DNA sequence: GCCAACGTTGGC
DNA sequence: GCCAACGTTGGC
């Protein structure tokens, strides 16, 4: 299957690219949106590249790169009574929610802010730059992915050069 | 912290 | 099947 490219959002107060750098790998549980669920369950494959997006951050934007280390499997947190991701409707026999595992690839020295994404040619079709887009797992094109990676590494050079 | 935009739920 | 009410997301 052809490699696909993704953007995944997370609030840094919950989990940041630094946390991922420290852990190396993490499970991506707790997604409770059907569209995002379908993407994780059906479309993500091992090794797919991921833009790691920090939402509700200062600034919000892409803070680094990750990769899918395990394709979609049932979200076991949905079965844990009392857990914040518990959902009585989901059972091991008939799981409703799915998650993937994500591995650390690279942390940008500085976040590529949403404003920069919005202002960059070639990214105008990204879901994340569109008003009111709340989907926490989004497909991106290879072209979009490459542009964002370039922006992220440019940021790093700038920081290094001025350090 | 505010609030607009969105997805989901539930009454009818 | 419509749509109002509600809860949540997420930029600012």
């Amino acid at each position: 299957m052809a490699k696909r490219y993704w953007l995944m959002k997370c609030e840094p107060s919950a989990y940041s690219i630094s946390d991922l750098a420290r852990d190396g790998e993490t499970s991506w549980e707790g997604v409770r949106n059907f569209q995002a669920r379908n993407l994780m369950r059906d479309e993500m494959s091992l090794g797919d590249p991921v833009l790691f997006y920090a939402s509700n951050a200062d600034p919000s934007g892409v803070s680094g790169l990750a990769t899918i280390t395990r394709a979609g499997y049932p979200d076991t947190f949905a079965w844990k009574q009392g857990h914040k991701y518990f959902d009585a409707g989901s059972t091991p026999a008939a799981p409703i929610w799915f998650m993937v595992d994500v591995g650390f690839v690279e942390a940008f020295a500085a976040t590529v802010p949403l404003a920069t994404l919005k202002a960059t040619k070639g990214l105008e079709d990204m879901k994340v730059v569109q008003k009111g887009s709340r989907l926490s797992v989004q497909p991106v094109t290879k072209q979009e992915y490459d542009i964002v990676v370039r922006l992220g590494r440019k940021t790093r050079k700038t920081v290094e050069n001025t350090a």
Side-chain angles (χ1 to χ4, degrees):
Chain A
M1 192 206 250
K3 195 186 276 193
R4 302 192 56 178
Y5 296 77
W6 306 99
L7 178 146
M8 298 175 82
K9 291 183 193 171
C10 193
E11 303 199 9
S13 58
Y15 200 82
S16 71
I17 191 73
S18 317
D19 293 326
L20 186 58
R22 179 198 61 215
D23 296 341
E25 189 177 10
T26 189
S27 54
W28 205 267
E29 69 274 6
V31 173
R32 294 293 179 266
N33 168 283
F34 288 106
Q35 217 180 328
R37 186 280 308 267
N38 293 345
L39 292 172
M40 292 200 299
R41 186 189 59 188
D42 305 331
E43 308 290 341
M44 286 183 156
S45 326
L46 187 65
D48 281 357
V50 175
L51 299 172
F52 191 104
Y53 183 90
S55 59
N56 260 319
D58 188 20
S60 294
V62 177
S63 54
L65 305 177
T67 186
I68 302 300
T69 53
R70 184 175 172 188
Y73 62 105
D75 186 336
T76 54
F77 292 80
W79 310 332
K80 292 179 179 152
Q81 192 104 38
H83 195 276
K84 76 169 164 164
Y85 295 138
F86 176 72
D87 180 351
S90 186
T91 65
I96 295 176
W97 304 113
F98 284 72
M99 58 183 174
V100 296
D101 288 353
V102 165
F104 175 75
V105 173
E106 176 176 334
F108 295 154
T111 296
V112 179
L114 180 58
T116 301
L117 301 179
K118 284 180 174 168
T120 301
K121 217 171 167 230
L123 301 183
E124 22 319 84
D125 290 336
M126 285 183 83
K127 289 199 177 48
V128 75
V129 307
Q130 279 150 32
K131 191 179 175 183
S133 165
R134 291 169 34 180
L135 195 58
S136 65
V137 175
Q138 316 178 352
V140 302
T141 67
K142 173 166 172 33
Q143 290 73 21
E144 290 162 348
Y145 179 88
D146 289 342
I147 291 171
V148 175
V149 169
R150 211 172 305 134
L151 291 171
R153 293 184 177 151
K154 186 156 63 175
T155 303
R156 176 170 57 189
K157 280 205 186 78
T158 304
V159 170
E160 281 169 2
N161 291 346
T162 54

